Amino acid sequence: MEVLRNQGAPPLDRIPVAQGRILASAIEAGLVDIAVRRKPISARRALDLYRDLIDIEEHAERGDAERISSLSITSRRPLQLVAYEPTCVPAVRRDARFAGVLERLATRPVTEAEDFEAADEQADIEERREILEVLLRGEPVRSLPAIDSTASFYGAPLVLLDATIELPFNEVDAMWATLAALTARGERDAENEPLAKCATELGQRRSSCSAPLVEGMTSRLAARFDRRGPVERAALGAEIARALVGARSRQQRTVFGSDCVRGLWHASDASSEGIPIYIPMEFAGRLPSLDRLDVRVLVEVHPAIDAYETETRCLRAVALAIAGAAAE
Amino acid sequence: MMSTTLLQLMWVHRAEAGRFRRTPTFRDIAPIDRADLPVVPGMRFDPDDLARVLAVLQVAPRTPTWELRAAERSDGFIVPLLAVVDADMTVAFAPVERLRATIAAALPFAGSDSALRSAIDAAEVLLALPHLVTAAETLESHSARISGAFARTPRDLPPDHLQTMAQRALLEHRHYERRPMFGGPHLRLELSSRDRPSSGVRGGIDASAAGHLPIASRFSARAIVEVHRDLERDGGGVVARVLAVARAVATTK
């Protein structure tokens, strides 16, 4: 059995008796082998740990070794729900993989914090709790499921991912930022001016430009920095990236009936370009100003919707939470 | 491995979905089990309507595009008929947007090419008119002139580079050609059969479907269509109003 290593858990004598008993039982049953590091933990971390222990106990009772081996009681990170699509809730409730999580939730009373958050969002409190619980306690997958070719209709399976999502910069914004950097560094000499003018013309026609056309122009502009040293080129690159991150510049596509931000998920079994993940704009407006995000995200898996993508599949986010830094 | 095709429902005209329950053409088709209802991204449906639409797409007999007909009643009235078709769907782009996209694609090469610059300038004069009312052919001739000027100069790029870039821009921004048809704004399209490419049927799909369609110049589809007599052309041709469309997804098993 795969060994579960607990790098940040408390010494056993610090775990409350009841929880310690659960853990001890699991270890005794040979289902869990935990390397405990002697380090105190916060109350929030203890609560997370306790929840994990409950999971372990339940799965130990069922003899579900595979599930236990996939549990990581060290990797739990606090999640902040960004948004979810209410239309996904019936499908989540029907999904057998989340049934256990939702059953356990049903017996837990609504906390004051949950009540407050839901009131703030004006969302259905039950829906919100269920989605958050599935994001928090559902089992993420490492690779996407194969298409069920026995069905007549493509069903767009729901999948929970523990993922780092890359949010590439909008192509036209990246060109503008490169042009601004070129101008600010006094690079608009007679040699560069025609190129700068052409870039300006393209930027003013953004709805008539394709992504590769603009990217080509950005590369040509960036090449004007080549005569500078590698240190200065790197500094300029970082400056351009900072400007774009600050401006929340993101690629946008209109797919599946709504305007979405295009992100990339680099699955372990996918090509290096990444699988496109389309995040509805109402989610994207609440994302932090970063170009890479650690998220727990519930996605629908679809065949590629954009013929110009190299991947044969794409994802559509229906519920998304940001994973913060672990408390310990 | 065997190749199979699945259908993914992309869009349904919501106001018309309930009609499939009542129309004699589809009334006897039993809806699929509600437990098997797939997700239709970005659309909210009455599950009964959705179950009916899927059943119609699944089991209703398909009519070849060249056999689509509107019905003429005994009292002389022509009435539209519903039919299901398997066809390649090509949605048309707005000629003015194609010209703009062609100009944008040509700009990076215009600095050192006077013939290309001159073709662009001529097109820009036309586009600068405050009220541009012109035939599609006029706009297309300008696009062709720019592409021709580009192709005449030897470059390290394929001769159709501008068309490729322009086509991609049109798709990315979904600059479809919109026309008032069937009482509202529609995207102009063509349904054609691979068996008989020349037997394509003109048609339209409600403009609200634009963001639901795949980002592809052409895709294999199964559609529920309302077949009307084409009143814009002589000869008894038909025009198809698309009420629901599923894309065909190739897979292996």
Side-chain angles (χ1 to χ4, degrees), chain A residues 86-87 91 94 147-156 198 201-202 205-213 217 220 253-258 300 302-308 316, chain B residues 4 6-8 10 37-39 41-42 44 54 57-58 97 100-101 103-105 107-108 117 124 165 167-169 171-175 211-216 247 249 251-253:
Chain A
T87 48
R94 278 200 307 266
I147 292 175
D148 176 9
S149 55
T150 58
S152 301
F153 289 96
Y154 183 76
C198 184
E201 278 195 80
L202 280 187
R205 302 161 190 255
R206 63 190 303 155
S207 72
S208 299
C209 296
S210 65
L213 173 69
M217 179 54 71
R220 286 174 68 185
R253 301 285 186 271
T254 304
V255 286
F256 303 116
S258 62
E300 292 168 356
H302 293 273
I305 193 78
D306 183 346
Y308 293 108
R316 175 173 173 267
Chain B
T4 59
L6 296 181
L7 292 174
Q8 184 179 25
M10 302 304 292
L37 289 181
V39 172
R44 258 189 183 174
L54 291 167
L57 284 167
Q58 191 176 9
E97 295 299 343
R100 287 192 178 119
I103 292 172
L107 276 175
R117 183 78 248 179
E124 301 248 68
M165 286 288 123
Q167 183 78 359
R168 181 156 178 176
L171 272 169
E172 277 179 13
H173 301 287
R174 296 190 182 272
H175 287 312
H212 293 265
L213 301 175
I215 301 179
R247 65 168 165 161
V249 179
T251 179
T252 52
K253 68 175 176 182

Coordinates of all heavy atoms in Angstrom, one line a residue, chain A residues 86-87 91 94 147-156 198 201-202 205-213 217 220 253-258 300 302-308 316, chain B residues 4 6-8 10 37-39 41-42 44 54 57-58 97 100-101 103-105 107-108 117 124 165 167-169 171-175 211-216 247 249 251-253:
Chain A
P86 N -24.8 27.8 -10.8 CA -26.0 27.1 -10.2 C -26.5 26.0 -11.1 O -27.0 25.0 -10.6 CB -27.0 28.2 -10.0 CG -26.3 29.5 -9.9 CD -25.1 29.3 -10.8
T87 N -26.3 26.1 -12.4 CA -26.8 25.0 -13.3 C -26.0 23.7 -13.1 O -26.5 22.7 -13.5 CB -26.6 25.5 -14.8 OG1 -25.3 25.9 -14.9 CG2 -27.6 26.5 -15.1
A91 N -26.3 18.2 -11.5 CA -25.3 17.2 -11.9 C -24.4 16.8 -10.8 O -24.1 15.6 -10.7 CB -24.5 17.7 -13.1
R94 N -26.3 14.4 -8.6 CA -26.5 13.1 -9.2 C -25.3 12.3 -9.2 O -25.3 11.0 -9.3 CB -27.0 13.3 -10.6 CG -28.5 13.6 -10.8 CD -28.9 13.3 -12.2 NE -28.1 13.9 -13.2 CZ -28.4 15.1 -13.8 NH1 -29.5 15.7 -13.4 NH2 -27.6 15.6 -14.7
I147 N -13.6 9.3 -23.1 CA -14.9 9.5 -23.6 C -15.7 8.2 -23.6 O -15.2 7.2 -24.1 CB -14.9 10.2 -25.0 CG1 -14.3 11.6 -24.9 CG2 -16.3 10.2 -25.6 CD1 -14.2 12.3 -26.2
D148 N -16.9 8.3 -23.1 CA -17.8 7.1 -23.1 C -18.4 6.9 -24.5 O -19.3 7.6 -24.8 CB -18.9 7.3 -22.0 CG -19.9 6.1 -22.1 OD1 -19.6 5.1 -22.7 OD2 -20.9 6.2 -21.4
S149 N -17.8 6.0 -25.2 CA -18.2 5.9 -26.6 C -19.4 5.0 -26.8 O -19.8 4.8 -27.9 CB -17.0 5.4 -27.5 OG -16.5 4.2 -26.9
T150 N -19.9 4.5 -25.7 CA -21.1 3.6 -25.8 C -22.4 4.4 -25.8 O -23.5 4.0 -26.1 CB -21.2 2.6 -24.7 OG1 -21.2 3.3 -23.4 CG2 -20.0 1.7 -24.7
A151 N -22.3 5.7 -25.3 CA -23.5 6.5 -25.2 C -23.8 7.1 -26.6 O -23.0 7.1 -27.5 CB -23.3 7.6 -24.2
S152 N -25.0 7.6 -26.7 CA -25.4 8.3 -28.0 C -25.0 9.7 -28.0 O -24.6 10.3 -29.0 CB -26.9 8.2 -28.2 OG -27.3 6.9 -28.2
F153 N -25.1 10.3 -26.8 CA -24.8 11.8 -26.7 C -23.6 11.9 -25.8 O -23.4 11.2 -24.8 CB -26.0 12.5 -26.1 CG -27.1 12.6 -27.0 CD1 -28.2 11.7 -27.0 CD2 -27.1 13.6 -28.0 CE1 -29.2 11.8 -27.9 CE2 -28.1 13.7 -28.9 CZ -29.2 12.8 -28.9
Y154 N -22.8 12.9 -26.1 CA -21.7 13.2 -25.3 C -22.2 13.9 -24.0 O -22.8 14.9 -24.0 CB -20.7 14.1 -26.0 CG -19.5 14.4 -25.2 CD1 -18.5 13.4 -25.0 CD2 -19.3 15.5 -24.5 CE1 -17.4 13.5 -24.2 CE2 -18.2 15.7 -23.7 CZ -17.2 14.7 -23.6 OH -16.2 14.9 -22.7
G155 N -21.8 13.3 -22.8 CA -22.4 13.8 -21.6 C -21.6 14.8 -20.8 O -22.0 15.2 -19.7
A156 N -20.4 15.2 -21.3 CA -19.5 16.2 -20.6 C -19.4 15.8 -19.1 O -20.0 16.5 -18.2 CB -20.1 17.6 -20.7
C198 N 3.3 50.2 -37.0 CA 2.5 49.1 -37.5 C 1.8 48.4 -36.3 O 0.7 48.0 -36.3 CB 3.4 48.1 -38.2 SG 2.5 46.8 -38.9
E201 N -1.1 50.4 -35.2 CA -2.2 50.2 -36.1 C -2.9 48.9 -35.8 O -4.2 48.8 -35.8 CB -1.8 50.2 -37.6 CG -1.6 51.6 -38.1 CD -1.5 51.6 -39.6 OE1 -2.5 51.4 -40.3 OE2 -0.3 51.6 -40.2
L202 N -2.1 47.8 -35.6 CA -2.8 46.5 -35.3 C -3.5 46.6 -34.0 O -4.6 46.1 -33.8 CB -1.7 45.5 -35.2 CG -1.1 44.9 -36.5 CD1 -0.2 43.7 -36.1 CD2 -2.3 44.4 -37.4
R205 N -6.9 47.8 -34.0 CA -7.9 47.0 -34.8 C -8.0 45.7 -34.1 O -8.0 44.6 -34.7 CB -7.4 46.8 -36.2 CG -7.1 48.0 -37.0 CD -6.2 47.7 -38.2 NE -5.8 48.9 -38.8 CZ -6.2 49.3 -40.0 NH1 -7.1 48.6 -40.6 NH2 -5.8 50.4 -40.5
R206 N -8.1 45.6 -32.8 CA -7.9 44.4 -32.1 C -9.0 43.4 -32.5 O -8.8 42.2 -32.4 CB -7.8 44.6 -30.6 CG -9.0 45.2 -29.9 CD -8.7 45.5 -28.4 NE -8.2 44.4 -27.6 CZ -7.4 44.5 -26.6 NH1 -7.0 45.7 -26.1 NH2 -7.1 43.4 -25.9
S207 N -10.2 43.8 -32.8 CA -11.2 42.9 -33.1 C -11.1 42.3 -34.6 O -11.9 41.5 -35.0 CB -12.6 43.5 -33.0 OG -12.9 44.4 -34.0
S208 N -10.1 42.8 -35.3 CA -9.8 42.2 -36.6 C -8.5 41.4 -36.7 O -8.1 40.9 -37.7 CB -9.7 43.4 -37.6 OG -10.9 44.1 -37.7
C209 N -7.9 41.3 -35.5 CA -6.6 40.6 -35.5 C -6.7 39.2 -34.9 O -7.4 39.0 -33.9 CB -5.6 41.4 -34.7 SG -5.2 43.0 -35.3
S210 N -6.0 38.2 -35.5 CA -6.0 36.9 -34.9 C -4.8 36.9 -33.9 O -3.9 37.7 -34.0 CB -5.7 35.9 -36.0 OG -4.4 36.1 -36.6
A211 N -4.9 35.9 -33.0 CA -3.9 35.8 -32.0 C -2.5 35.6 -32.5 O -1.6 36.3 -32.1 CB -4.3 34.6 -31.0
P212 N -2.3 34.7 -33.5 CA -0.9 34.5 -34.0 C -0.3 35.8 -34.7 O 0.9 36.0 -34.7 CB -1.0 33.4 -35.0 CG -2.4 33.1 -35.1 CD -3.2 33.7 -34.1
L213 N -1.2 36.5 -35.4 CA -0.8 37.8 -36.0 C -0.2 38.7 -35.0 O 0.9 39.3 -35.2 CB -2.0 38.4 -36.7 CG -1.8 39.8 -37.4 CD1 -0.8 39.7 -38.6 CD2 -3.1 40.4 -37.8
M217 N 3.8 40.0 -34.1 CA 4.2 41.4 -34.0 C 4.9 41.6 -32.6 O 5.9 42.3 -32.6 CB 3.0 42.3 -34.1 CG 3.3 43.8 -34.0 SD 4.6 44.4 -35.1 CE 3.7 44.4 -36.7
R220 N 8.4 40.4 -32.9 CA 9.2 41.3 -33.6 C 9.6 42.5 -32.8 O 10.8 43.0 -32.8 CB 8.5 41.8 -34.9 CG 8.4 40.7 -36.0 CD 7.6 41.1 -37.2 NE 8.2 42.2 -37.9 CZ 7.6 42.8 -39.0 NH1 6.4 42.4 -39.3 NH2 8.2 43.8 -39.6
R253 N -12.2 34.1 -24.8 CA -12.9 33.4 -25.9 C -14.4 33.3 -25.6 O -14.8 33.2 -24.4 CB -12.4 32.0 -26.0 CG -10.9 31.9 -26.3 CD -10.5 32.2 -27.7 NE -9.1 32.0 -28.0 CZ -8.1 32.9 -27.8 NH1 -8.4 34.1 -27.3 NH2 -6.8 32.6 -28.0
T254 N -15.2 33.4 -26.6 CA -16.6 33.2 -26.4 C -16.9 31.7 -26.8 O -16.9 31.4 -28.0 CB -17.4 34.1 -27.3 OG1 -17.0 35.5 -27.0 CG2 -18.9 34.0 -27.0
V255 N -17.2 30.9 -25.8 CA -17.4 29.5 -26.0 C -18.5 29.0 -25.1 O -18.7 29.6 -24.0 CB -16.2 28.6 -25.8 CG1 -15.2 28.8 -26.9 CG2 -15.5 29.0 -24.5
F256 N -19.2 28.0 -25.5 CA -20.3 27.4 -24.7 C -21.3 28.5 -24.3 O -21.9 28.5 -23.2 CB -19.8 26.7 -23.5 CG -18.8 25.6 -23.8 CD1 -17.5 25.7 -23.4 CD2 -19.2 24.5 -24.6 CE1 -16.6 24.7 -23.7 CE2 -18.3 23.5 -24.9 CZ -17.0 23.6 -24.5
G257 N -21.5 29.4 -25.2 CA -22.6 30.4 -24.9 C -22.2 31.6 -24.0 O -23.1 32.4 -23.7
S258 N -20.9 31.7 -23.6 CA -20.6 32.8 -22.7 C -19.2 33.3 -22.9 O -18.3 32.5 -23.4 CB -20.9 32.5 -21.3 OG -20.0 31.4 -20.9
E300 N -16.3 20.6 -16.5 CA -16.9 19.7 -17.5 C -15.8 19.4 -18.5 O -15.1 20.3 -18.9 CB -18.1 20.4 -18.2 CG -19.3 20.6 -17.3 CD -20.3 21.6 -18.0 OE1 -20.0 22.0 -19.2 OE2 -21.3 21.8 -17.4
H302 N -14.9 18.5 -22.2 CA -15.6 18.5 -23.5 C -14.5 18.2 -24.6 O -13.3 18.4 -24.4 CB -16.1 19.9 -23.8 CG -17.2 20.4 -23.0 ND1 -18.5 20.1 -23.3 CD2 -17.3 21.0 -21.8 CE1 -19.3 20.6 -22.4 NE2 -18.6 21.2 -21.4
P303 N -15.0 17.7 -25.8 CA -14.1 17.7 -26.9 C -13.7 19.1 -27.3 O -14.5 20.0 -27.0 CB -15.0 17.1 -28.0 CG -16.1 16.5 -27.3 CD -16.4 17.2 -26.1
A304 N -12.5 19.3 -27.9 CA -12.0 20.6 -28.2 C -13.1 21.4 -28.9 O -13.8 20.9 -29.8 CB -10.8 20.5 -29.0
I305 N -13.3 22.7 -28.4 CA -14.3 23.5 -29.0 C -13.7 24.5 -30.0 O -14.4 25.0 -30.9 CB -15.1 24.3 -27.9 CG1 -16.4 25.0 -28.4 CG2 -14.2 25.4 -27.3 CD1 -17.5 24.1 -28.6
D306 N -12.4 24.6 -29.9 CA -11.7 25.5 -30.8 C -10.7 24.7 -31.7 O -9.8 24.1 -31.3 CB -10.8 26.5 -29.9 CG -10.1 27.6 -30.7 OD1 -10.0 27.4 -32.0 OD2 -9.6 28.5 -30.1
A307 N -11.0 24.8 -33.0 CA -10.3 24.0 -34.0 C -8.8 24.4 -34.0 O -8.0 23.6 -34.5 CB -10.9 24.2 -35.4
Y308 N -8.5 25.6 -33.5 CA -7.1 26.0 -33.5 C -6.3 25.5 -32.3 O -5.1 25.8 -32.3 CB -7.0 27.5 -33.7 CG -7.5 28.0 -35.0 CD1 -8.7 28.7 -35.1 CD2 -6.8 27.8 -36.2 CE1 -9.2 29.1 -36.3 CE2 -7.3 28.2 -37.4 CZ -8.5 28.9 -37.4 OH -9.0 29.3 -38.7
R316 N -14.4 23.2 -19.1 CA -15.2 24.4 -18.7 C -15.4 24.4 -17.2 O -16.0 23.4 -16.7 CB -16.5 24.3 -19.5 CG -17.4 25.4 -19.2 CD -18.7 25.3 -20.1 NE -19.6 26.3 -19.7 CZ -20.6 26.0 -18.8 NH1 -20.8 24.8 -18.4 NH2 -21.5 27.0 -18.5
Chain B
T4 N -16.2 5.8 -33.7 CA -17.6 6.0 -33.6 C -17.8 7.5 -33.5 O -16.9 8.3 -33.3 CB -18.2 5.4 -32.3 OG1 -17.5 5.9 -31.2 CG2 -18.0 3.9 -32.3
L6 N -20.2 10.5 -31.6 CA -21.1 10.9 -30.6 C -21.7 12.2 -31.0 O -21.1 13.0 -31.7 CB -20.5 11.0 -29.2 CG -19.9 9.8 -28.6 CD1 -19.3 10.2 -27.2 CD2 -20.9 8.7 -28.4
L7 N -22.9 12.5 -30.4 CA -23.4 13.9 -30.7 C -23.3 14.7 -29.4 O -23.6 14.2 -28.3 CB -24.9 13.7 -31.1 CG -25.2 13.1 -32.4 CD1 -26.7 12.9 -32.6 CD2 -24.6 13.9 -33.5
Q8 N -22.9 15.9 -29.5 CA -23.0 16.8 -28.4 C -23.9 18.0 -28.7 O -23.6 18.8 -29.7 CB -21.6 17.4 -28.1 CG -21.6 18.2 -26.8 CD -20.3 18.8 -26.4 OE1 -19.4 19.0 -27.2 NE2 -20.1 19.1 -25.1
M10 N -25.3 21.4 -28.8 CA -24.7 22.7 -28.6 C -25.6 23.8 -28.3 O -25.4 24.7 -27.6 CB -23.8 23.1 -29.9 CG -22.8 22.1 -30.3 SD -21.6 21.7 -28.9 CE -20.7 23.2 -28.8
L37 N -30.0 12.5 -19.3 CA -29.8 13.8 -19.9 C -28.4 14.3 -19.8 O -27.9 14.4 -18.7 CB -30.8 14.9 -19.3 CG -32.3 14.7 -19.5 CD1 -33.1 15.8 -18.8 CD2 -32.5 14.7 -21.0
P38 N -27.8 14.6 -20.9 CA -26.4 15.2 -20.8 C -26.4 16.7 -20.5 O -27.5 17.3 -20.6 CB -25.9 15.0 -22.2 CG -27.1 15.0 -23.1 CD -28.2 14.5 -22.3
V39 N -25.3 17.2 -20.1 CA -25.1 18.6 -19.8 C -25.1 19.4 -21.2 O -24.5 18.9 -22.1 CB -23.8 18.9 -19.1 CG1 -23.5 20.3 -19.0 CG2 -23.8 18.2 -17.8
P41 N -23.9 22.8 -22.1 CA -23.2 23.9 -21.4 C -23.8 25.3 -21.8 O -24.1 25.5 -23.0 CB -21.8 23.8 -21.9 CG -21.8 22.9 -23.1 CD -23.0 22.0 -22.9
G42 N -24.0 26.1 -20.8 CA -24.5 27.4 -21.0 C -25.9 27.6 -21.3 O -26.4 28.6 -21.7
R44 N -30.1 26.6 -20.1 CA -31.0 26.1 -19.1 C -32.3 25.7 -19.8 O -32.8 26.4 -20.6 CB -31.3 27.2 -18.1 CG -30.6 27.0 -16.8 CD -31.1 27.9 -15.8 NE -30.3 27.8 -14.6 CZ -30.4 28.5 -13.5 NH1 -31.3 29.5 -13.5 NH2 -29.6 28.3 -12.5
L54 N -33.5 15.7 -27.6 CA -32.4 14.7 -27.7 C -33.0 13.4 -28.4 O -32.3 12.8 -29.3 CB -31.8 14.3 -26.4 CG -31.0 15.4 -25.7 CD1 -30.7 15.1 -24.3 CD2 -29.7 15.6 -26.5
L57 N -33.4 14.1 -32.1 CA -32.1 14.0 -32.8 C -31.6 12.6 -32.9 O -30.9 12.2 -33.9 CB -31.0 14.9 -32.0 CG -31.1 16.4 -32.1 CD1 -30.3 17.1 -31.1 CD2 -30.7 16.9 -33.5
Q58 N -31.9 11.8 -31.9 CA -31.4 10.4 -31.9 C -32.1 9.5 -32.8 O -31.5 8.8 -33.6 CB -31.5 9.9 -30.5 CG -30.7 8.6 -30.3 CD -30.8 8.2 -28.8 OE1 -31.5 8.7 -28.0 NE2 -30.0 7.1 -28.5
E97 N -16.2 42.5 -42.2 CA -15.2 42.1 -41.2 C -14.1 41.3 -41.9 O -12.9 41.3 -41.4 CB -15.9 41.2 -40.1 CG -16.9 42.0 -39.3 CD -16.3 43.2 -38.5 OE1 -15.1 43.2 -38.4 OE2 -17.1 44.1 -38.1
R100 N -11.7 43.8 -43.1 CA -10.9 44.4 -42.0 C -9.8 43.5 -41.6 O -8.7 43.9 -41.3 CB -11.8 44.8 -40.9 CG -12.7 46.0 -41.2 CD -13.4 46.5 -39.9 NE -14.2 47.7 -40.2 CZ -15.5 47.8 -40.0 NH1 -16.2 46.8 -39.5 NH2 -16.2 48.9 -40.3
A101 N -10.2 42.2 -41.4 CA -9.2 41.2 -41.0 C -8.1 41.0 -42.0 O -7.0 40.8 -41.6 CB -10.0 39.9 -40.7
I103 N -7.0 43.3 -44.1 CA -6.1 44.4 -44.0 C -5.2 44.3 -42.8 O -4.0 44.5 -42.9 CB -7.0 45.7 -43.8 CG1 -7.7 46.0 -45.1 CG2 -6.1 46.9 -43.4 CD1 -8.7 47.2 -45.0
A104 N -5.8 43.9 -41.6 CA -4.9 43.7 -40.4 C -3.8 42.7 -40.6 O -2.7 42.9 -40.3 CB -5.8 43.3 -39.2
A105 N -4.2 41.6 -41.3 CA -3.1 40.6 -41.6 C -2.1 41.1 -42.5 O -0.9 40.6 -42.5 CB -3.8 39.3 -42.1
L107 N -1.1 44.3 -42.9 CA -0.3 45.5 -42.4 C 1.2 45.3 -42.1 O 2.0 46.1 -42.5 CB -1.0 46.1 -41.1 CG -2.2 47.0 -41.4 CD1 -2.8 47.4 -40.1 CD2 -1.8 48.2 -42.1
P108 N 1.5 44.2 -41.4 CA 2.9 44.0 -41.1 C 3.8 43.9 -42.4 O 5.0 44.0 -42.3 CB 3.0 42.6 -40.4 CG 1.6 42.5 -39.8 CD 0.7 43.1 -40.8
R117 N 0.5 48.2 -50.1 CA 0.1 49.4 -49.4 C -1.0 50.1 -50.2 O -2.0 50.5 -49.6 CB 1.3 50.3 -49.3 CG 1.1 51.6 -48.5 CD 1.0 51.3 -47.0 NE -0.3 51.5 -46.5 CZ -0.6 51.4 -45.2 NH1 0.3 50.9 -44.3 NH2 -1.8 51.6 -44.7
E124 N -9.2 51.0 -47.4 CA -9.5 51.8 -46.2 C -10.3 53.0 -46.5 O -11.2 53.5 -45.7 CB -8.1 52.3 -45.6 CG -7.2 51.2 -45.2 CD -7.0 51.1 -43.7 OE1 -8.0 50.8 -43.0 OE2 -5.9 51.4 -43.3
M165 N -4.9 33.9 -41.8 CA -4.9 34.8 -40.6 C -6.3 35.5 -40.5 O -6.8 35.6 -39.4 CB -3.9 35.9 -40.8 CG -2.5 35.4 -40.6 SD -2.2 35.1 -38.8 CE -1.7 33.4 -38.9
Q167 N -9.2 34.4 -41.6 CA -10.2 33.4 -41.2 C -10.1 33.2 -39.7 O -11.2 33.1 -39.1 CB -10.0 32.1 -42.0 CG -11.0 31.0 -41.8 CD -12.3 31.2 -42.5 OE1 -12.4 32.2 -43.2 NE2 -13.2 30.3 -42.3
R168 N -8.9 33.1 -39.2 CA -8.8 32.8 -37.8 C -9.3 34.0 -36.9 O -10.0 33.8 -35.9 CB -7.3 32.5 -37.5 CG -7.1 32.2 -36.0 CD -5.9 31.4 -35.8 NE -5.8 31.2 -34.3 CZ -4.8 30.5 -33.8 NH1 -3.9 29.9 -34.5 NH2 -4.8 30.3 -32.5
A169 N -9.0 35.2 -37.4 CA -9.5 36.4 -36.7 C -11.0 36.4 -36.7 O -11.7 36.7 -35.7 CB -9.0 37.6 -37.3
L171 N -13.1 33.9 -36.9 CA -13.6 32.9 -36.0 C -13.4 33.2 -34.5 O -14.3 33.1 -33.7 CB -12.8 31.5 -36.3 CG -13.5 30.6 -37.3 CD1 -12.5 29.5 -37.7 CD2 -14.8 30.1 -36.9
E172 N -12.2 33.7 -34.2 CA -11.9 34.1 -32.8 C -12.9 35.1 -32.3 O -13.3 35.0 -31.2 CB -10.5 34.6 -32.7 CG -9.4 33.5 -32.6 CD -8.0 34.1 -32.5 OE1 -7.9 35.3 -32.2 OE2 -7.0 33.4 -32.6
H173 N -13.2 36.1 -33.2 CA -14.1 37.1 -32.7 C -15.5 36.9 -33.1 O -16.4 37.7 -32.9 CB -13.6 38.5 -33.3 CG -12.2 38.8 -32.8 ND1 -11.9 39.2 -31.6 CD2 -11.0 38.8 -33.5 CE1 -10.6 39.4 -31.5 NE2 -10.0 39.1 -32.6
R174 N -15.7 35.7 -33.8 CA -17.1 35.3 -34.2 C -17.8 36.4 -35.0 O -18.9 36.8 -34.6 CB -17.9 34.9 -33.0 CG -17.3 33.7 -32.3 CD -18.3 33.1 -31.3 NE -17.8 32.0 -30.5 CZ -17.9 30.7 -30.9 NH1 -18.5 30.4 -32.1 NH2 -17.5 29.7 -30.2
H175 N -17.1 36.9 -36.0 CA -17.7 37.9 -36.9 C -18.6 37.3 -37.9 O -18.3 37.3 -39.1 CB -16.6 38.7 -37.5 CG -15.9 39.6 -36.6 ND1 -16.5 40.5 -35.8 CD2 -14.5 39.9 -36.5 CE1 -15.6 41.2 -35.1 NE2 -14.4 40.8 -35.5
G211 N -22.4 32.3 -29.8 CA -21.3 31.9 -28.9 C -21.4 30.4 -28.5 O -20.5 30.0 -27.8
H212 N -22.3 29.7 -29.0 CA -22.4 28.3 -28.7 C -21.8 27.4 -29.7 O -21.6 26.2 -29.5 CB -23.9 27.9 -28.5 CG -24.6 28.5 -27.4 ND1 -24.7 27.9 -26.2 CD2 -25.2 29.7 -27.2 CE1 -25.4 28.6 -25.3 NE2 -25.7 29.8 -25.9
L213 N -21.5 28.0 -30.9 CA -21.0 27.1 -32.0 C -19.5 26.9 -31.8 O -18.8 27.7 -31.2 CB -21.3 27.8 -33.3 CG -22.7 28.2 -33.6 CD1 -22.8 29.0 -34.9 CD2 -23.6 26.9 -33.7
P214 N -19.0 25.7 -32.3 CA -17.6 25.5 -32.2 C -16.8 26.5 -33.0 O -17.3 27.1 -33.9 CB -17.4 24.1 -32.8 CG -18.8 23.5 -32.9 CD -19.8 24.7 -32.9
I215 N -15.6 26.8 -32.5 CA -14.7 27.8 -33.2 C -14.1 27.0 -34.3 O -13.0 26.4 -34.2 CB -13.7 28.4 -32.3 CG1 -14.4 29.1 -31.1 CG2 -12.8 29.3 -33.0 CD1 -13.4 29.7 -30.1
A216 N -14.8 26.8 -35.4 CA -14.4 26.0 -36.6 C -15.1 26.6 -37.8 O -16.2 27.0 -37.7 CB -14.7 24.6 -36.4
R247 N -23.2 18.9 -32.5 CA -22.0 18.6 -33.3 C -21.7 17.1 -33.2 O -21.9 16.5 -32.1 CB -20.8 19.5 -32.9 CG -20.3 19.2 -31.5 CD -18.9 19.9 -31.4 NE -18.6 20.0 -30.0 CZ -17.3 20.2 -29.5 NH1 -16.4 20.3 -30.4 NH2 -17.1 20.3 -28.2
V249 N -19.0 14.3 -32.7 CA -17.7 14.2 -32.1 C -17.1 12.8 -32.4 O -17.8 11.8 -32.0 CB -17.8 14.4 -30.6 CG1 -16.4 14.3 -29.9 CG2 -18.4 15.7 -30.2
T251 N -14.9 9.6 -32.0 CA -14.2 9.0 -30.8 C -13.8 7.6 -31.2 O -14.3 7.1 -32.3 CB -15.0 9.0 -29.6 OG1 -14.3 8.4 -28.5 CG2 -16.4 8.3 -29.8
T252 N -13.0 6.9 -30.4 CA -12.7 5.5 -30.7 C -13.0 4.6 -29.6 O -13.1 5.1 -28.4 CB -11.2 5.4 -31.0 OG1 -10.5 6.0 -29.9 CG2 -10.8 6.1 -32.3
K253 N -13.3 3.4 -29.9 CA -13.6 2.4 -28.8 C -13.0 1.0 -29.1 O -12.6 0.8 -30.3 CB -15.1 2.3 -28.5 CG -15.9 1.7 -29.6 CD -17.3 1.5 -29.1 CE -18.3 1.0 -30.2 NZ -19.6 0.9 -29.8

